[in-house]
Amino acid sequence: MALLQHRRGEQHDDSVPPPRRVWVVSALHAPLIGVTLDSEPPSTTGGYSRFAWYALRQNYMDMISACGGLPVALGHDVAQAAQMVARLDGLVVTGGAFDVPPELYGDEPPHATVQTKPRRTAAEIALLGEGLDLGRPVLGICGGMQLLAVLLGGRLVQHIPDTYPAALAHEQPNPRDEAGHVVHVTPGTQLARLVGCATLEVNSSHHQAVADAGRGVVSATAPDGVVEAIELPGHPFCMGVQWHPEFGISAGDRLLFEGLIDAARQTGT
């Protein structure tokens, strides 16, 4: 009633507060980016838990948030993979200290250095498969890139020193938040357009590598010839990188996440 009186030129009643304006917060519309988790067995030596537990470095989530995405962790339930991906706008498949089982790409027996996590790999295969089928933007990181290559029909090098005797130290001795070597970006690729440069300084923490990208194409290599990035032509955003861009070592690292999130905005559900 006070507002009506005020509009008619009558004195406004200050005891009645004005209507509240409701502002739409843009963060509410941030693309939902699923992030795969590592898994660890129960600890018998006083570690994190006496029960099986999931694990993820904080900087994965921090980088996605900083680039405008809304990160959410994904468990290892194959039966729920389709429902998970259906609600996502994008997917990040993370790395970890384990390997893709060689039987998945027809290369047996496994090398003595190979360690696997079958439950995690099964879940990530299901998530990645759904993501590709639904056209969701996908970024595979380190082991995530290797799994992406296998799903695209490619193969892996089980142990880099056996195939590249003069290889660089791909398991770099210096801290992971520092560069280990450079990579050469393939001209004309989506990666080249995204980062806008011919070389990138990257960190390195892997003993396996992509031998054949299958339906994908190689978009970056190390100076020793080891494949460092792949992508899938014709997909809105499907990239894999062998390094860990969540550390933000170069400007190109952040551009990778920004590219993923921009694609997720355009293709979001």
Side-chain angles (χ1 to χ4, degrees), residues 13-32:
D13 183 355
D14 291 331
S15 67
V16 179
R20 290 186 60 190
R21 288 188 176 182
V22 178
W23 298 96
V24 177
V25 181
S26 60
L28 294 177
H29 301 286
L32 188 64

Side-chain angles (χ1 to χ4, degrees), residues 84-106:
M84 290 179 186
V85 177
R87 299 187 184 191
L88 298 175
D89 300 312
L91 176 65
V92 174
V93 181
T94 62
F98 74 106
D99 304 301
V100 178
E103 61 265 24
L104 294 181
Y105 49 95

Side-chain angles (χ1 to χ4, degrees), residues 19 21 37 49 67-68 91 98 108 113 119 124 141 154 185 192 238-239 242:
R21 288 188 176 182
L37 299 168
S49 176
C67 293
L91 176 65
F98 74 106
E108 296 185 276
T113 59
R119 185 169 183 264
E124 290 184 331
I141 294 176
V185 180
C238 180
M239 290 191 185
Q242 191 60 77

Side-chain angles (χ1 to χ4, degrees), residues 53-134:
W53 48 285
Y54 287 127
L56 185 73
R57 270 187 286 100
Q58 182 177 326
N59 55 0
Y60 280 107
M61 298 294 205
D62 288 349
M63 179 63 86
I64 292 170
S65 296
C67 293
L70 184 63
V72 59
L74 306 177
H76 298 167
D77 189 339
V78 171
Q80 290 188 324
Q83 295 180 67
M84 290 179 186
V85 177
R87 299 187 184 191
L88 298 175
D89 300 312
L91 176 65
V92 174
V93 181
T94 62
F98 74 106
D99 304 301
V100 178
E103 61 265 24
L104 294 181
Y105 49 95
D107 191 10
E108 296 185 276
H111 192 274
T113 59
V114 167
Q115 301 180 44
T116 62
K117 292 186 175 181
R119 185 169 183 264
R120 173 179 175 174
T121 296
E124 290 184 331
I125 287 173
L127 291 164
L128 257 178
E130 289 291 334
L132 293 173
D133 289 346
L134 294 177

Side-chain angles (χ1 to χ4, degrees), residues 70-225:
L70 184 63
V72 59
L74 306 177
H76 298 167
D77 189 339
V78 171
Q80 290 188 324
Q83 295 180 67
M84 290 179 186
V85 177
R87 299 187 184 191
L88 298 175
D89 300 312
L91 176 65
V92 174
V93 181
T94 62
F98 74 106
D99 304 301
V100 178
E103 61 265 24
L104 294 181
Y105 49 95
D107 191 10
E108 296 185 276
H111 192 274
T113 59
V114 167
Q115 301 180 44
T116 62
K117 292 186 175 181
R119 185 169 183 264
R120 173 179 175 174
T121 296
E124 290 184 331
I125 287 173
L127 291 164
L128 257 178
E130 289 291 334
L132 293 173
D133 289 346
L134 294 177
R136 297 289 191 267
V138 169
L139 176 61
I141 294 176
C142 197
M145 165 180 140
Q146 295 169 6
L147 184 60
L148 175 62
V150 171
L151 258 66
L152 295 177
R155 297 175 296 104
L156 303 182
V157 172
Q158 287 201 48
H159 192 55
I160 290 172
D162 290 353
T163 303
Y164 298 88
L168 299 170
H170 287 276
E171 293 184 286
Q172 68 185 55
N174 53 313
R176 297 295 186 262
D177 59 352
E178 300 174 358
H181 60 79
V182 300
V183 299
H184 300 289
V185 180
T186 306
T189 59
Q190 187 178 11
L191 178 63
R193 293 190 293 272
L194 187 63
V195 301
C197 56
T199 60
L200 291 170
E201 288 194 337
V202 303
N203 55 12
S204 191
S205 178
H206 61 107
H207 80 105
Q208 296 198 322
V210 171
D212 171 15
R215 294 186 290 119
V217 299
V218 174
S219 51
T221 55
D224 57 8

